[in-house]
Structures are given as C-alpha cells and as structure tokens.
Amino acid sequence: MRHLLSAADLARDEALQILQTAEQMHQVQDREVKKLPALRGRTIVNLFFEDSTRTRSSFEIAGKWLSADVINVSAKGSSVSKGESLRDTVMTVAAMGVDGLVIRHHASGAPQQVAQWVDAMVVNAGDGTHEHPTQALLDAYTIRRRIGDLDGRHVAIVGDLTHSRVVRSNLILLRTLGAHVTLVAPPTLMPSGVGAWAKEDGFDTSYDLDEVLPQVDVAMMLRVQKERMSGGYFPTPREYTVGYGLTRERLKVLPEHAVICHPGPMNRGLEITADAADEARSLILDQVSAGVAVRMSVLYHLLASSEGAEK
C-alpha cells in the first residue's frame, strides 16, 4: 500500500492487518513513556486546509509517538492565504524532502490529485464530502473492540448523509469487513443516486429510523453539517430531532447489546441527545481514543514497513 486515499484502497486482509496493529499501538497510550522508534528519521507534514480538532491532533500525536518529526501547516498563516495554489503548496513542501503528507481539504478528490504530484506518502484526512478513510478505520476498530467481529453485524448510519465524508468511507469499509449496512436519513439528506448505489453495492436505505433501530447492532449517528447547507433541508431543528435524532425514547427500543457511535463533533440536542451521548452503550469517547492508535497503525504500515516505505 503506497497511499491511503480511500477506504476502497483496502482489501479485507489489509484492513484487518491495520486494525490488528492498532491493538498493539493502543497499548502505548497506557505507558509512562509513549514513544516507539518505528518512524525515527521520518518527516510528516499535516496539511490542513479545513478546521479540525480530533483528526489533526490525533495525526500529530500518532506521528510523534512513532518518533517521526511532525510539522503542522494550516491554510491560515500559510502562503495559501496569499493566493498560492494547492499544487504549488504541496510541491513546495515535498521539495523539502518530507516522507509523508496528511491532507485535509475542502475539495473532493484533492488528496488523490496530490498523490499524483509528489513522491511522498499521502494520507487522506478528509476531502470535501467525499471520504475520510482513517475515520472509518477507527470506527470499525472501536466497534470491534466492544462487540467483536463485524461479519454479519447490522450497522445503521443515520443523519446528514448528503454532506458527510464519513458515510462513504464507513459504508465501503464496513461492507469490506462483512457488515450489513442501512443508510437512514430524510429524503432531502439522502445522497443523490443512492438507489442505484445501494443496488450495486448491496446495502439498504430507509427513511424510517424507528423501523430500523430495533434491528441494529450499531447506531452510527452523523452530524448535521449546517455549515455546508444552503437552503431548507428540514423544517426546523426540533422536527429533525423528532424524526431522526437518537433521543431518550429511542434508546428504549435500541437493543441492549447495541452500541452508539458518532464521529464528532456532535450537535447535542439535534442528531443525538445528552442521554444517548453519555450512556453506557456510547462509544464516542472510545472513538477519540482509538483515533491515535489507528492513525499510528496507518502511518506505520505506510512508512515503516518495507513495502510502504518503497519509493
């Protein structure tokens, strides 16, 4: 594996290998000295053209715990704010001899384009409304730690599917790992062409959360991305919560063994209530913790393994 640009880049064996390595990396978080020498001498640049807390911080910690030299570059304060193009920015950074680029960009497909321009390893940390493969990996890792193998498990992905980059990556990876996936959203927030997509890739869609919820092993709630919306996708926030929010009442019909996920940040009181976010079945903080371990694993496989390190 040369880059990680999409969840589709991962065969089942490769995904499982990353998840298994993440188990070992997770143990580092409990050590007094949180350092491994695996990437000593390597340089990783985090290029973030959109705001981020969890992803950027976890990639930075992951690189540093693997002993890499990590440099953070954001659009604000860089030459991008002076009008420099994405190509010129990444070519300039790559010319300094860096080994890896972790990129978040508002344009879908930007990391794929960057990977064609540079010799360095490229990881997609989220591109527009397209994909976020490491988020899908950490979600799968977190769920597997709680309920075991995903083969045959039923996962409902609920919420703003139109504007989410998480849904595509999770759908691809969960299907790769053998899970059955149902996408749940109001008609206005269901992706365009989802019917043909579902038929081709073998997943289900529904507009009725209350019908799906009693059958699931995992309820994955997605944030309503108000900053990406222009126009009325639903009448009022209250009506959205009534129809598609994980509320106290819906917790009662969620199976006892089922778990709750949310990639964050959350709109408490909109797509998920405080009762659901903070209850015992919630894995939301576990997902944050897993982010470092999974991203350590990804960086290790791309830069430390003999295959991933080949230029």
Side-chain angles (χ1 to χ4, degrees):
M1 186 170 62
R2 181 74 180 85
H3 308 289
L4 181 56
L5 306 174
S6 165
D9 294 340
L10 299 170
R12 179 181 172 88
D13 289 346
E14 291 174 317
L16 290 174
Q17 188 177 28
I18 289 174
L19 297 178
Q20 288 162 5
T21 304
E23 287 279 1
Q24 300 169 23
M25 297 298 182
H26 213 144
Q27 298 171 16
V28 175
Q29 292 176 242
D30 299 324
R31 296 182 184 178
E32 186 174 345
V33 178
K34 298 176 174 63
K35 280 283 188 180
L36 296 174
L39 297 185
R40 184 179 295 155
R42 298 283 194 172
T43 302
I44 300 169
V45 176
N46 294 331
L47 284 168
F48 275 65
F49 297 90
E50 283 188 327
D51 295 337
S52 171
T53 299
R54 294 159 186 77
T55 305
R56 178 171 171 168
S57 298
S58 61
F59 265 115
E60 182 177 1
I61 293 170
K64 288 180 175 178
W65 284 0
L66 288 170
S67 300
D69 296 310
V70 180
I71 301 166
N72 292 317
V73 177
S74 61
K76 298 171 187 176
S78 73
S79 294
V80 173
S81 62
K82 299 178 182 179
E84 186 174 62
S85 68
L86 173 63
R87 187 178 192 278
D88 287 337
T89 298
V90 298
M91 293 294 284
T92 298
V93 173
M96 299 176 189
V98 303
D99 299 290
L101 297 173
V102 178
I103 299 178
R104 168 167 286 188
H105 200 276
H106 54 80
S108 298
Q112 286 83 352
Q113 184 64 67
V114 169
Q116 297 176 27
W117 291 332
V118 301
D119 292 328
M121 172 276 298
V122 177
V123 176
N124 181 358
D127 61 327
T129 59
H130 183 227
E131 280 215 49
H132 195 352
T134 60
Q135 180 67 48
L137 283 164
L138 74 87
D139 290 343
Y141 173 80
T142 306
I143 295 166
R144 279 165 53 91
R145 290 193 94 200
R146 178 65 70 91
I147 67 173
D149 190 15
L150 290 173
D151 196 26
R153 297 288 194 171
H154 187 187
V155 181
I157 304 178
V158 185
D160 183 359
L161 309 181
T162 294
H163 302 101
S164 174
R165 54 182 157 227
V166 172
V167 61
R168 185 183 302 273
S169 291
N170 259 303
L171 180 56
I172 292 170
L173 185 64
L174 289 168
R175 293 281 300 131
T176 298
L177 296 175
H180 170 60
V181 180
T182 301
L183 302 185
V184 184
T188 52
L189 291 175
M190 214 39 112
S192 177
V194 71
W197 183 19
K199 185 176 181 180
E200 181 179 350
D201 286 7
F203 61 89
D204 293 329
T205 62
S206 176
Y207 302 133
D208 189 343
L209 177 58
D210 294 312
E211 180 184 15
V212 173
L213 209 55
Q215 309 165 20
V216 303
D217 300 296
V218 181
M220 183 178 294
M221 312 305 296
L222 300 185
R223 180 172 68 91
V224 175
Q225 300 190 35
K226 292 177 281 188
E227 74 279 7
R228 297 184 189 271
M229 294 181 178
S230 57
Y233 285 86
F234 44 85
T236 66
R238 174 63 182 162
E239 288 188 52
Y240 180 88
T241 303
V242 169
Y244 294 94
L246 189 56
T247 60
R248 180 183 299 177
E249 292 73 26
R250 289 197 170 103
L251 285 176
K252 296 175 183 176
V253 301
L254 187 69
E256 282 296 321
H257 72 277
V259 296
I260 301 162
C261 294
H262 193 303
M266 293 182 286
N267 293 311
R268 282 180 182 253
L270 185 54
E271 72 267 359
I272 188 168
T273 63
D275 299 282
D278 299 330
E279 89 126 61
R281 289 176 289 178
S282 171
L283 302 182
I284 295 170
L285 288 180
D286 299 83
Q287 289 171 271
V288 177
S289 175
V292 176
V294 168
R295 286 166 179 138
M296 286 176 72
S297 178
V298 168
L299 294 176
Y300 172 80
H301 281 284
L302 289 171
L303 287 174
S305 66
S306 57
E307 181 180 349
E310 283 180 4
K311 294 293 183 182

